[in-house]
Amino acid sequence: MTAVQSDASALLGVYARVGPSFVAGEGSELIAEDGTRYLDFVAGIAVNALGYNHPVIREAVLRALESGLVHVSNLYRTEPGELLAAELVARSFNRQGQVFFCNSGAEANEGAFKFARKWSGKTEIVAFSGSFHGRLFASLAATDRPDYRRPFEPLLAGVQIVPLGDRAATTRAVTAATAAVIIEPLQGEGGVRPVDAGFLAFLRNLCDEKGAALIFDEVQCGLGRTGTLFAYEQTGVIPDMLTLAKPLAGGFPMGAVLLNDRIAAALAPGDHATTFGGGPLVATVALDVLRTIAEPDFLAEVRAKGAWLGEGLARLAASSPRVRAVRGRGLMWGIELGEPAAPFVTAARERRLLVLTAGPNVIRIVPPLTISQGDLERGVAVLAEVLA
Ligand code: PLP
């Protein structure tokens, strides 16, 4: 038998994995093989909104398993998916709307593009600079990362990426041929950039004028992350479709497209499908996650912790000449540096704090929404140390 080197892996090398291998999690901490605890401001990249080992998730998983149903084909009805869809609709922008469940953020956006095409009878899509919508052929075409796109071209044709906030360029791009305009109300991967509410309102009017669907990608910024259940609630602008994923099922893979009634009415059996979407196990967990996050007290706490974090980071920016700007809402923040961010992510990890980048020069912070004030303070102190 050939000896396997300790750093060899049978997993495809598409991730530059760093640091220790984790074996357990508790609250806002990840625990490494050697027992070292890491304070986690990454939360599975904005997935683990309730942190690790949360009783709501444990209990929901056990309850779902009791029924014996992990998966049932979408050829049949199951109650958890129906209840989850009804609750998402009741809590969002269109009370006659409907929901399509899938398994990831990219899939949710791909679905939304198909729905927009079917509803509008048109094909083109407009997205914005700094955007990230996923890694499949249409979602990647709408993602402003030429380095991610180039090796896989040709991607979906008819997708334009327009400078974010540029009204003249957007007016030129959105035409009678446009099926959909897609935007993150608070960009994540592109550097944690809140989009001006005035620009979103401008997009709303333009889409109405041209008969295009306005899609808000809330895969990263949705579900309590910004201190309201949906980020769009803070903008006063209502989309036609909204995509969700990351935290929806508490760490189980699940995505969703929320469609308004007009677009939903254009879809018929056979138009779209996925084998696993909205199965009873993930939907049971997601329903309890949604109810937990949507509690007014829970969201008020996210806002209060977010306000403290924003002030803490502003103080850090004032004391560190390395910091150019801090941006964010709720518990989603970016620290823009005048130099590459990756060495500071490494330095924080060496001090047992996990953070990540968002583009080359931004440190991104997306801790569990359940994080304690004390843990937030502990993490900001480490960041101050590494940025000193
Ligand atoms: N949309 C946004 C805003 C995201 O941040 C991401 C992932 O980071 C995606 C879509 C893609 O989601 P997934 O990785 O689940 O396909």
Side-chain angles (χ1 to χ4, degrees), residues 198-352:
F199 186 67
L200 296 176
F202 160 80
L203 290 181
R204 176 68 282 169
N205 288 335
L206 193 58
C207 284
D208 289 342
E209 199 183 302
K210 302 292 182 188
L214 180 59
I215 305 169
F216 282 175
D217 177 342
E218 295 210 11
V219 166
Q220 186 161 160
C221 65
L223 293 169
R225 177 59 53 192
T226 64
T228 47
L229 185 59
F230 301 106
Y232 79 82
E233 294 172 53
Q234 294 173 50
T235 71
V237 181
I238 304 293
D240 298 304
M241 286 187 273
L242 182 140
T243 54
L244 296 171
K246 290 182 177 286
L248 180 57
F252 286 93
M254 186 179 219
V257 187
L258 280 53
L259 306 80
N260 73 17
D261 55 339
R262 289 180 305 131
I263 299 181
L267 278 299
D271 280 341
H272 195 47
T274 175
T275 296
F276 292 112
L281 176 87
V282 289
T284 299
V285 179
L287 187 57
D288 286 6
V289 169
L290 175 65
R291 286 177 176 163
T292 304
I293 291 176
E295 274 297 318
D297 287 351
F298 185 98
L299 290 169
E301 264 194 40
V302 174
R303 289 194 293 276
K305 287 182 285 194
W308 183 88
L309 181 58
E311 285 162 20
L313 295 178
R315 277 194 300 276
L316 191 154
S319 68
S320 170
R322 294 182 193 281
V323 179
R324 287 223 174 125
V326 291
R327 295 184 291 267
R329 292 212 178 103
L331 289 173
M332 179 168 172
W333 285 82
I335 305 169
E336 185 172 322
L337 308 179
E339 59 196 299
F344 298 96
V345 171
T346 305
R349 192 173 62 246
E350 285 163 3
R351 289 168 175 75
R352 317 277 178 263

Side-chain angles (χ1 to χ4, degrees), residues 15 45-47 103-109 131-136 139 143 182-190 217-221 243-246 253-255 332 364:
Y15 302 103
I45 317 189
V47 168
N103 313 289
S104 69
E107 265 186 74
N109 289 329
S131 62
F132 186 93
H133 298 297
R135 306 274 201 145
L136 304 179
S139 48
T143 288
I182 184 164
I183 189 162
E184 298 155 77
L186 167 49
Q187 287 187 338
E189 307 290 314
D217 177 342
E218 295 210 11
V219 166
Q220 186 161 160
C221 65
T243 54
L244 296 171
K246 290 182 177 286
M254 186 179 219
M332 179 168 172
R364 180 172 22 158

